[in-house]
Amino acid sequence: MIEISDVTKRYPGGHEALCSLSLAIGQGELVFLTGHSGAGKSTLLKLIAAIERPTSGHVIVKGQNVGRMRRAALPFFRRNIGLIFQDHKLLYDRSVFDNVLLPLHIQGLTGSGAFKRVRAALDKVGLLKKERARPITLSGGEQQRLCIARAIVSRPALVLADEPTANLDEAYARDIMDMFRAFNEVGVTLLISTHDHDLIRRYGGRNVQLAHGRLMT
Amino acid sequence: MKAWLGHHLHSLKTALHPFRDAPLATLFTALVIGVAVALPVGLYVLLGNLERAAGGVKPDAEVTLFLKSGIGEPQGRELASRLGRDADVADVRFISRTEGIDKLEALGLADITAGLPENPLPHTLVLKPREENPQAMEALATRLRGLPESDRVLLDTDWVKRLAALMDLGQDLVFMLSAVLGLALAAITANTIRLQIYARRDEIEVARLIGATDRFIRRPFLYFGGLQGLVGGLAGWALVLLGLALIEGSVQKVATAYGASFPLHGLGPLELTVVLTLSMILGWLGAFFAVGQTLRKLESTL
């Protein structure tokens, strides 16, 4: 599913976020990405989602070389990936329902078929009763669940989550991890960055540890 | 096809949001655009009315033919009736030399005529050409000069030429104002669109992250630019109508003083369509440039 070979990412100014990193993730895997802050977890996720390009090396996702992808092809590539952000990146000027509808709308899906899928996604994260609410009225855990609903509504085969349980208390964090577990069971590949080692111990899965932009094994 | 239509409808709906969310700001922008539209359009309408007014009060264009002194009155009258049948001539008046001197005396020049030993005036024909444009009158005058009875031909086309030149100047002004203020319209739109893009950068960023194409992101802004241009064009039209209503009273007073009635004309349906279409296109163009440039700048900060 994902092949990263000898990837280095140097930001302007000389900071090296990743240093000749190689990593392979198979279809249907549940992978936790851990490490101190600044270890390169977010950078790695951004490279996979083609938000950043590697300075050198190859990032290959589903057989496509993401680092060399044409600008015009990027939107279509990103539609196959569910992105979950630590800061949610929700749109506060529209309802919960419309937030989840946005990815489908971008892909040209409208009408009752799209609405059905939005409701299904909201149901999965337990927000169906709040579809008319504004995101700002939701709690932190609910906002994170809304972000997850938006990521999965287009049924991506790969979901990337950047610190999805940070700033959440334990009960909420466990809720969200249970959800991820359920997605993984139906075949979705998940790559989750976290620094909560308790969670990993409880849920198992593969643990990839980063330190100073390098792999620790 | 349905999805495509849905996209466009949604973009149009999104483009309408600023009208709903910030009606006052949108109204002011529309007014500014309206002023930019109203200036050239107002001048154009004014010129049109002026041209009509000039046509109404224009003194009859005349060609005056002075006959040679050896030509007697019967010959003169005969020539008059012959020219009266000419295809280029609408009307001929024969003024004999005695009639001419009587006219001068009637004008209060009796002391001058009394001092003259004999009547110096020739018999005169005053012709009204069938066509009143300078070229036709010039052609007629040339023909009259070729007549054996002709001594001198006077032709007063100067004022016609002057009026035509003034109208040309006015049209050039309309053109120039349209170009300059059209540019202003595009620039105003570009600026409002830029502000809008910055206000909605979160939305643009998220849409990009979840796979929106540039076209998808650009479309609502383009629609908004066109719509704003259209509303601005309508505002401009309203301003012109308002201006006409304001001067209508004084124009009527002047017209009544001349014993005429002179209704002011606004824009015809075709002219209005042209104005609205142009302001819409200019708004769209302004948006196009602003969106292209601003989105590229936003991308580098993403």
Side-chain angles (χ1 to χ4, degrees):
Chain A
M1 188 68 158
I2 303 172
E3 280 175 63
I4 291 159
S5 46
D6 203 21
V7 162
T8 299
K9 175 67 190 179
R10 203 176 295 118
Y11 283 105
H15 172 65
E16 207 160 76
L18 291 176
C19 187
S20 22
L21 183 96
S22 293
L23 177 69
I25 294 170
Q27 176 102 40
E29 264 194 279
L30 170 61
V31 178
F32 289 101
L33 205 55
T34 56
H36 59 91
S37 58
K41 302 185 300 268
S42 295
T43 302
L44 183 58
L45 292 177
K46 280 180 182 165
L47 287 177
I48 295 168
I51 297 169
E52 301 272 6
R53 289 175 190 258
T55 312
S56 68
H58 296 292
V59 178
I60 292 165
V61 179
K62 285 196 205 163
Q64 285 178 288
N65 189 336
V66 176
R68 302 269 176 284
M69 201 173 277
R70 278 186 309 116
R71 225 188 89 76
L74 288 179
F76 303 97
F77 168 74
R78 290 210 186 113
R79 290 176 190 179
N80 298 315
I81 300 178
L83 288 175
I84 295 159
F85 310 94
Q86 186 179 355
D87 59 351
H88 319 319
K89 292 197 193 297
L90 299 170
L91 298 176
Y92 295 101
D93 63 342
R94 61 196 72 190
S95 67
V96 164
F97 187 90
D98 286 345
N99 263 280
V100 181
L101 182 62
L102 185 65
L104 297 181
H105 178 68
I106 282 171
Q107 294 178 29
L109 260 91
T110 47
S112 57
F115 295 164
K116 227 179 267 169
R117 279 171 72 168
V118 171
R119 297 228 163 80
L122 283 173
D123 193 26
K124 257 180 222 161
V125 300
L127 284 176
L128 195 51
K129 285 199 184 111
K130 302 214 167 176
E131 64 168 50
R132 293 275 145 244
R134 295 266 155 171
I136 202 76
T137 64
L138 302 180
S139 70
E142 283 171 331
Q143 291 194 14
Q144 191 57 273
R145 269 148 51 194
L146 176 54
C147 184
I148 292 169
R150 187 181 62 190
I152 60 159
V153 72
S154 52
R155 296 174 191 154
L158 172 64
V159 171
L160 306 176
D162 192 7
E163 305 266 6
T165 57
N167 316 322
L168 294 185
D169 60 37
E170 230 200 283
Y172 276 139
R174 224 179 300 147
D175 266 5
I176 283 170
M177 287 310 297
D178 285 339
M179 262 170 232
F180 284 150
R181 187 56 162 276
F183 300 148
N184 185 237
E185 273 160 11
V186 296
V188 176
T189 309
L190 278 147
L191 184 53
I192 302 162
S193 86
T194 180
H195 49 243
D196 188 344
H197 290 276
D198 285 349
L199 276 179
I200 304 166
R201 260 196 301 278
R202 190 172 312 135
Y203 287 92
R206 183 175 157 200
N207 183 1
V208 171
Q209 207 173 348
L210 288 178
H212 305 291
R214 290 167 198 276
L215 219 54
M216 302 219 336
T217 32
Chain B
M1 180 63 200
K2 213 181 126 205
W4 178 86
L5 204 69
H7 261 199
H8 280 264
L9 270 176
H10 185 269
S11 302
L12 197 62
K13 253 197 286 179
T14 315
L16 283 169
H17 283 173
F19 291 91
R20 183 196 64 195
D21 298 339
L24 207 66
T26 319
L27 182 80
F28 276 126
T29 314
L31 258 181
V32 172
I33 292 176
V35 171
V37 171
L39 283 173
V41 169
L43 187 62
Y44 174 80
V45 167
L46 224 59
L47 268 183
N49 281 306
L50 212 65
E51 206 163 10
R52 271 190 324 117
V57 300
K58 188 156 66 177
D60 294 336
E62 289 175 343
V63 181
T64 312
L65 170 63
F66 296 107
L67 301 181
K68 280 185 179 141
S69 53
I71 311 282
E73 193 171 332
Q75 272 171 287
R77 288 198 184 276
E78 199 262 326
L79 178 66
S81 65
R82 207 170 73 220
L83 285 174
R85 290 191 293 273
D86 196 293
D88 290 342
V89 178
D91 186 39
V92 186
R93 217 151 20 97
F94 178 81
I95 300 170
S96 71
R97 36 194 312 195
T98 38
E99 268 176 79
I101 208 94
D102 289 349
K103 264 192 180 168
L104 282 183
E105 278 165 8
L107 281 172
L109 297 172
D111 6 339
I112 298 172
T113 52
L116 294 170
E118 59 174 51
N119 185 354
L121 295 178
H123 294 303
T124 307
L125 295 185
V126 177
L127 295 94
K128 248 185 84 169
R130 202 169 295 280
E131 277 182 64
E132 292 188 357
N133 63 66
Q135 290 84 6
M137 285 172 73
E138 203 70 64
L140 181 64
T142 314
R143 232 153 40 79
L144 293 176
R145 280 191 195 104
L147 292 174
E149 298 92 339
S150 156
D151 179 32
R152 242 152 56 89
V153 176
L154 276 189
L155 171 71
D156 190 14
T157 57
D158 283 359
W159 80 272
V160 180
K161 280 185 188 155
R162 264 182 228 133
L163 183 70
L166 273 176
M167 284 299 165
D168 278 353
L169 178 71
Q171 263 155 24
D172 283 356
L173 271 177
V174 169
F175 227 74
M176 205 182 69
L177 266 182
S178 303
V180 170
L181 292 167
L183 209 67
L185 194 160
I188 294 163
T189 312
N191 210 34
T192 49
I193 297 274
R194 227 163 42 78
L195 291 176
Q196 258 194 54
I197 291 175
Y198 279 115
R200 289 172 54 191
R201 57 191 299 176
D202 289 347
E203 187 184 339
I204 292 170
E205 188 194 341
V206 170
R208 270 216 175 110
L209 285 175
I210 57 184
T213 55
D214 285 352
R215 222 192 285 208
F216 178 88
I217 292 168
R218 208 184 291 139
R219 202 178 294 130
F221 294 110
L222 296 184
Y223 271 115
F224 177 77
L227 263 173
Q228 193 180 246
L230 181 67
V231 173
L234 282 170
W237 183 48
L239 283 176
V240 169
L241 287 183
L242 187 74
L244 285 180
L246 283 179
I247 62 167
E248 179 108 59
S250 38
V251 167
Q252 284 328 319
K253 249 182 243 164
V254 174
T256 321
Y258 279 96
S261 87
F262 186 70
L264 286 171
H265 287 194
L267 284 177
L270 181 72
E271 290 162 321
L272 181 63
T273 313
V274 168
V275 166
L276 293 183
T277 312
L278 267 180
S279 57
M280 201 161 87
I281 289 174
L282 282 169
W284 189 90
L285 273 179
F288 184 80
F289 285 119
V291 168
Q293 196 221 1
T294 316
L295 284 185
R296 234 173 293 131
K297 212 167 16 171
L298 267 188
E299 188 163 17
S300 58
T301 62
L302 196 79

